[in-house]
Structures are given as structure tokens and as C-alpha cells.
Amino acid sequence: MSVLVLLETTDNQIKKSSLEALAFAKHVAGNLGGKVSAVLAGNPSNLSEAALFGADLILQISDPRFSQADARAFAESLLQAAGETQSKTVVLAKSALTDSFAALLAAMWKAGAATNVVSLPDFSNGFVVKRSIFTGKAFEFVKLTAERKVISIKKNAAEAVPNAGAGEIKAFSPQVSAKAFALQTISTEKATGEVLLPDAEIVVSGGRGLKGPENWNLITDMAKVLGAATGCSKPVSDLHWRPHHEHVGQTGIKVSPNLYFAIGISGAIQHVAGISSSKVIVAINKDPEAPIFKVANYGIVGDAFSVVPQLTEALKNI
Amino acid sequence: MNILVCISSVPDTTSKISFTDQDTRLDSSGLTYIIGPYDDYALARAVELKEAAGSGNITVFHVGEADSEAVIRKALAIGADEAVRVDSKAKDGFFVANQIAAYAKDKNFDLILMGRESIDYNSGIVHGLVGEHLGIPAISPVMRLEINGREATMDKEIEGGKETLKAILPLVLGCQEPIAEWKIPSMRGIMSARTKSLQVIAPAETDSGLEFQKYELPAPRTSCKMIAESNVAELVSLLKTEAKVI
Ligand SMILES: Cc1cc2nc3c(=O)[nH]c(=O)nc-3n(C[C@H](O)[C@H](O)[C@H](O)COP(=O)(O)OP(=O)(O)OC[C@H]3O[C@@H](n4cnc5c(N)ncnc54)[C@H](O)[C@@H]3O)c2cc1C
Ligand SMILES: Nc1ncnc2c1ncn2[C@@H]1O[C@H](COP(=O)(O)O)[C@@H](O)[C@H]1O
């Protein structure tokens, strides 16, 4: 019996969120007895970390089609890997890819699925997980009663700490159906070299208080100093000041960084819904009554146009 | 074009969430219900596609109890032609997906449009499950959709960007902005919605493999420490030594 994890890569590195999924799987395997197996496409430069963070067996796919593959190809491969490793539980880290195949996998495998899981499961009364619901405004506890389980975890659901597994690497050539590569990708536009918002440890976000796209260097300069991702409020992306994939909130990206800067953002409940699982929130707003100060840990009442450049300077010296 | 639009009925996005009955039931007193915001984009795009084609039929589909009629009527007022409600509480994504698939399997819909996720249970799984149940591709989150004959061209959001894809109908799509702008019902729409057909059907049996236990609210944040505008250095030092996040 084993717990199966999908390892995703970005810029030829296993993602940190995937290492958290390994830590989660290790915890499950520790409680239920069994090993941790992982499926991985490609040959990331930090491959050795998979073993370091808990994988006993790594099934490595070298089929180049997987770099562009759609959800079904991954779902079918995981299904086959689950068969080979006799896994009953699959752990995925939430991402654009896994979001679109967690359900497919559950349906194909006749498994129960829980998405947006925020912490390690509780085994004192069955297999109970805690999920984020109402866009971060609440949680629910659900018991997974099906024999097979698909679990998709949010960032920080488990801490990736070294906890080495056997780390055997095996080549894996999944037999996927013709259907799996049926969707035709015409083009891909992807920002490169930027820190991706959903994975970021620090996010610097700007709102309508910044007045226009020409002032965004305030945000990007500070982000650069911190190695942070940049985000924005919904009106900012609606006005095309920033791309849609930067919009944070109830109808945008939900982030869980260690540190979130809300600059010139009023703190409307829909924006806050997307940032409430941040560890620390810093608000900079010229209005002392702005609702963002109700959810922030640290606040500065002041004009972003003078505060932010000073702050960026001060951050250069840390 | 025969389109099915699946809508959830959810507390308005400004709602403060609280629970009753020892944290086992949502306290819906004082809550206003709306069409799920993502589902509303799906509906808006369906109406645009029908208008552009000059023909077609839009069915809205909802799993929920009788009190969601107002939300369904709003979808009809926005431009759907008819509605179907499965008379049952929407227990979870598996349950909803089974209802949609059971209804749609012999109806030959060209498109089954949904939101990328509901904003109550946020499971983001209904489209994927429905696609698999019906044996057709499910794609999400779709931020642009053009139809040309039987071919759909879509932009799908990926991390840090987007991917353009083509696929042949029928398809199940999870939608998000900017696929269309939310539509506000016209007076004429509201009048005609009153007499459009709303069929109520019984739920199909299902087992989700999930058992709800209880709800929990997040711990309140501690109060905000204010720092003088002239003293950004203090903020930096607090972030470093107190919060330990930089
Ligand atoms: C269904 C629905 C879903 C929504 N989903 C989202 C979502 O996902 N994400 C989201 O962000 N919004 C969402 N919204 C919109 C949300 O309600 C707010 O309108 C939006 O968040 C406000 O953006 P803002 O704070 O940038 O702008 P504003 O509300 O205009 O606030 C600007 C702030 O900047 C401050 N300011 C102005 N000048 C300066 C200056 N020089 N220096 C410092 N501060 C300054 C002001 O005091 C003010 O607080 C949604 C709305 C609806 C109805
Ligand atoms: N009760 C419901 N009735 C009809 N459709 C629903 C219902 N709940 C969710 N959906 C649809 O499924 C999509 C994804 O929901 P979810 O998987 O719960 O995040 C939503 O955006 C809706 O389009």
C-alpha cells in the first residue's frame, strides 16, 4: 500500500507546493502504514529533493508530450501509477493543473475527493480533513469515507521538512488513451522569470489608490527588492492596468503568503476573502478608516506615493 | 446551439458567514442569495452566444431547495429560456455533478457551461466530474470562448498566463472573467421570466464518499499595529524581528 503524490515542476524545479504534498503524504503513510510514491514528468534539477522530503519511489515520466499535456493525460497516468503502487490515496498540491484534473481523477477512479484542504488530516475518528470554504471565510471538516481518496491541498497545509524516503527512481511510461492528448493547444503565453502569485512567499499588491498603470513601478520595484510576486485588486485588472492573472480576491487568485502588502487597496470584503490565509498583512492607505486596517497586522496611514519608495529603500538594507 | 448553464445559489459576496446548531448549519438569516459570480459569467456568455447565433436554447440547471426560485428567475430574466431545479439540498460537488450528468446524458447539449468554482463550497470539481460522467472534455478556467461551427476556441488561464486551445463540441467548461460581462436583467426580461418554464425534478441517488462533520470560523486577526508614516524603518524592523517574515 502506498500514498501517491504528483510532483509538479516549474522552471525545471520541483515546486515547493509539491514538496508540501510529499510531507502531507508522508504523514498519511505514517498513520495508515505504507510508503510514499511519487509521479513526476521531466528531469528537474532538484530531483534529489523528492527523496529528501519523503518519496520512497519516484516514477519518472520522460515522454515529452507531458510538458504540454492536458488534465486527462495526468489523470490517466496517476491512475495507472496508483495501480502499480497499490495506492489508495492520491495527494495533489493545488495548482492550475491539478485544479482541472482532481475531479477527473476522482470520477475515473471512483474515489471520494476533498479539495482546498488546509491542514494535516485527523485520524482519531476515521480520515477527517479540514477544507477552506466560502472563499477563506470559513472551514469545514469532512470525513472521507470512500476507500479511494483524492486530496488536493492548499499552500501551507503541511510543512515541507526533510524526512527522507528510500528514493528509488524508476522510469515510467504510462499508457494513456488517444483521448488524453486530444485537446489542441495553439499557443501559450506565460510570464517567465516572475514569481508566481499562488506560490509566492511574499506578495506586493496595489489597488486603485495607485491612480494608474504608469505608477506600477512603485509596486514592481518593491516586489523586486523582496523577491515577491505582484498582485492587484479587481478594479485594477478590470481597468487593464494589470493582467487578469494578478487579480487577488473572491473572484480572483487566492493567496496564502507569509507576507502580503496591500497598497492603496480599500480592503473590500471580496478582496480580503482572497488574502485571509496570509500569515502577516501590511496595509498602506491614506484613509485611516479604510477597512483593510481591520484585517492587517501592521498599518501605515499615508500617501503610497511617498511611503512606498521610502519603504523600498529601507528594504534594500535588510 | 443548445446550452445548459449550471448555476449555484450562494450568499452575496459581501456576506459575513456564521453558523448555528453547534456549527453544523449555515446561519442564513440576513443573507441575500445571488447567482454564483463565476456561474453568472457562464450565463452571460451563453446569452451572448445565443444572441450572436440568432437561434438556440439556454436551459439553466440548479440543484437546490424551493427558496432558490428567486435566483433561478433572475437567470431566466437575464436571458435563459427555461429552467430545471433538482429538488434537494446541494450536498457536495459529487452530488451536484451526478444530478447534472443524469439530466444531461440524453439531451444533446452542445455546451455545458458552469463557473470555475462555486463560492460557497469552492470545490472546483463539478465540471471535471460531469465531463467524465458524460465522456466529453471538461476545461477550466476558461476566460475566452468563441464558437465557429462545431469548433470552440478558448483561452484557459494557466499559472502566470494563458493558453489558447481548440476543441470540438460538445464540451463542459468552467468559466471565469473576462469571458463576458455580468448582465443586469432588463424590465422586459424580468416580466417574461415570470412565465418561463421552471421544471422541478427529483434527485438521482448517489453516494459521494464524503461525510460532513462540522464548520469552523477562522480565528480573528489580532488588532493592527499602526506605524507612523515617517518611520518606515520601524515597519521593516518589526517585519524582521517580531513577525519574522523577511
Ligand atoms: C461579486 C463581486 C466580486 C468581487 N471580487 C473581487 C475580487 O476578487 N477582488 C477584489 O479586489 N475586488 C473584488 N470585488 C470588488 C470589490 O468590491 C472592491 O470594489 C475592490 O476590491 C476595490 O478595489 P480597490 O481597493 O483597489 O479600490 P477602491 O475601493 O477605490 O480603494 C482605493 C483605496 O486606495 C486608497 N488610496 C487612494 N489614494 C491613495 C494614496 N495616494 N495612497 C494610499 N492609499 C490611497 C483609498 O483610501 C482607498 O482605500 C468584487 C465585487 C463584486 C461585486
Ligand atoms: N447547486 C448547484 N446547482 C447547479 N450547479 C452548481 C451547483 N453547485 C455548483 N454548481 C456548478 O458547478 C460549478 C463548480 O462548483 P464547485 O465544484 O462546487 O466549485 C459552479 O460554478 C456551478 O456552475
Side-chain angles (χ1 to χ4, degrees):
Chain A
M1 234 256 314
S2 82
V3 180
L4 188 65
V5 179
L6 174 73
L7 300 178
E8 272 189 81
T9 59
T10 178
D11 294 333
N12 204 36
Q13 289 266 324
I14 301 173
K15 286 179 159 188
K16 175 156 179 272
S17 56
S18 289
L19 298 176
E20 290 177 349
L22 273 178
F24 189 100
K26 188 93 182 167
H27 179 82
V28 173
N31 272 276
L32 301 182
K35 296 193 152 112
V36 175
S37 305
V39 171
L40 167 103
N43 195 14
S45 54
N46 61 342
L47 181 60
S48 60
E49 288 191 1
L52 182 64
F53 286 91
D56 295 304
L57 174 67
I58 300 143
L59 297 173
Q60 191 178 23
I61 301 174
S62 47
D63 184 339
R65 290 178 301 173
F66 275 82
S67 64
Q68 282 273 328
D70 70 53
R72 175 168 282 273
F74 279 98
E76 290 189 7
S77 307
L78 276 172
L79 207 59
Q80 199 175 322
E84 287 183 18
T85 57
Q86 298 184 328
S87 300
K88 294 279 192 286
T89 303
V90 171
V91 180
L92 307 167
K94 182 177 171 61
S95 72
L97 174 69
T98 59
D99 272 354
S100 55
F101 81 76
L104 182 60
L105 179 65
M108 287 164 56
W109 203 29
K110 307 222 177 327
T115 53
N116 285 320
V117 169
V118 297
S119 56
L120 293 172
D122 175 2
F123 294 102
S124 59
N125 168 29
F127 194 130
V128 176
V129 293
K130 180 176 177 179
R131 327 182 34 241
S132 165
I133 56 170
F134 290 103
T135 323
K137 290 181 197 168
F139 300 102
E140 70 172 350
F141 292 87
V142 288
K143 189 193 264 188
L144 287 156
T145 53
E147 192 195 2
R148 294 168 175 162
K149 303 168 180 70
V150 175
I151 297 168
S152 163
I153 62 169
K154 278 185 68 165
K155 189 164 174 289
N156 297 334
E159 199 184 344
V161 283
N163 187 355
E168 183 195 346
I169 298 176
K170 244 168 89 174
F172 181 45
S173 315
Q175 302 300 310
V176 296
S177 68
K179 240 163 87 179
F181 294 103
L183 290 180
Q184 204 190 330
T185 305
I186 312 223
S187 62
T188 307
E189 262 174 52
K190 199 171 164 150
T192 50
E194 280 180 26
V195 185
L196 292 178
L197 197 46
D199 300 334
E201 301 294 348
I202 304 181
V203 175
V204 182
S205 243
R208 202 149 51 179
L210 287 164
K211 310 280 189 287
E214 66 281 6
N215 301 323
W216 232 260
N217 60 322
L218 285 179
I219 300 293
T220 50
D221 287 354
M222 183 165 146
K224 208 168 284 158
V225 171
L226 289 165
T230 54
C232 65
S233 65
K234 177 165 151 57
V236 167
S237 69
D238 286 349
L239 291 162
H240 304 292
W241 295 358
R242 297 300 291 174
H244 181 266
H245 65 258
E246 282 198 2
H247 139 212
V248 172
Q250 180 136 26
T251 49
I253 306 279
K254 287 88 191 168
V255 297
S256 343
N258 286 331
L259 178 56
Y260 185 86
F261 286 92
I263 301 173
I265 293 178
S266 59
I269 192 161
Q270 295 99 343
H271 187 81
V272 170
I275 66 171
S276 55
S277 52
S278 308
K279 266 192 203 133
V280 172
I281 297 174
V282 175
I284 299 171
N285 197 302
K286 70 173 185 193
D287 174 8
E289 302 297 325
I292 190 73
F293 291 118
K294 295 215 166 56
V295 295
N297 303 76
Y298 300 100
I300 293 184
V301 176
D303 186 341
F305 291 88
S306 74
V307 174
V308 175
Q310 288 179 51
L311 185 56
T312 303
E313 270 317 302
L315 287 166
K316 280 183 186 158
N317 307 319
I318 52 171
Chain B
M1 180 102 45
N2 193 12
I3 307 176
L4 185 70
V5 180
C6 302
I7 60 165
S8 54
S9 165
V10 295
D12 171 56
T13 54
T14 57
S15 306
K16 202 167 168 312
I17 299 300
S18 60
F19 302 108
T20 59
D21 292 358
Q22 273 133 9
D23 288 336
T24 58
R25 211 161 53 81
L26 176 68
D27 182 359
S28 51
S29 57
L31 294 184
T32 312
Y33 282 78
I34 57 167
I35 301 174
Y38 294 111
D39 321 353
D40 218 356
Y41 288 121
L43 176 63
R45 188 65 190 132
V47 171
E48 289 174 0
L49 287 172
K50 184 186 153 183
E51 274 168 7
S55 68
N57 191 71
I58 302 172
T59 307
V60 280
F61 188 90
H62 173 69
V63 181
E65 291 169 311
D67 51 8
S68 34
E69 176 156 346
V71 165
I72 299 174
R73 292 282 171 206
K74 180 166 179 212
L76 291 168
I78 287 171
D81 299 289
E82 56 184 295
V84 176
R85 177 171 68 82
V86 174
D87 189 25
S88 168
K89 195 171 169 306
K91 293 181 192 114
D92 53 51
F94 282 87
F95 180 83
V96 170
N98 283 330
Q99 307 308 322
I100 298 170
Y103 176 75
K105 68 173 188 292
D106 51 8
K107 306 270 187 320
N108 290 317
F109 289 108
D110 300 298
L111 277 174
I112 300 181
L113 300 185
M114 308 188 188
R116 72 173 293 176
E117 67 181 20
S118 57
I119 63 158
D120 46 6
Y121 299 107
N122 299 109
S123 57
I125 59 173
V126 172
H127 26 76
L129 292 171
V130 169
E132 180 58 18
H133 289 327
L134 298 178
I136 58 180
I139 303 166
S140 177
V142 176
M143 47 201 294
R144 181 174 71 93
L145 168 65
E146 311 295 340
I147 305 283
N148 192 347
R150 301 298 296 165
E151 187 180 79
T153 306
M154 292 152 286
D155 285 350
K156 174 182 170 207
E157 187 162 84
I158 55 173
E159 265 143 34
K162 64 182 183 194
E163 191 175 84
T164 302
L165 350 133
K166 274 195 202 303
I168 303 299
L169 304 182
L171 297 169
V172 179
L173 306 179
C175 304
Q176 76 168 30
E177 63 180 291
I179 194 165
E181 299 259 357
W182 287 323
K183 296 206 175 341
I184 297 161
S186 66
M187 210 50 216
R188 218 177 108 237
I190 294 170
M191 298 301 287
S192 68
R194 291 187 188 154
T195 52
K196 286 180 180 169
S197 149
L198 194 175
Q199 192 194 345
V200 178
I201 61 175
E205 287 290 321
T206 73
D207 172 23
S208 326
L210 292 180
E211 219 176 83
F212 167 78
Q213 312 262 293
K214 67 171 182 349
Y215 295 118
E216 189 181 274
L217 288 174
R221 281 192 180 264
T222 49
S223 63
C224 184
K225 207 174 247 187
M226 300 307 289
I227 294 136
E229 183 182 2
S230 54
N231 200 0
V232 294
E234 189 192 339
L235 174 63
V236 173
S237 124
L238 285 168
L239 292 176
K240 210 157 121 182
T241 54
E242 188 179 75
K244 300 190 174 63
V245 286
I246 53 174

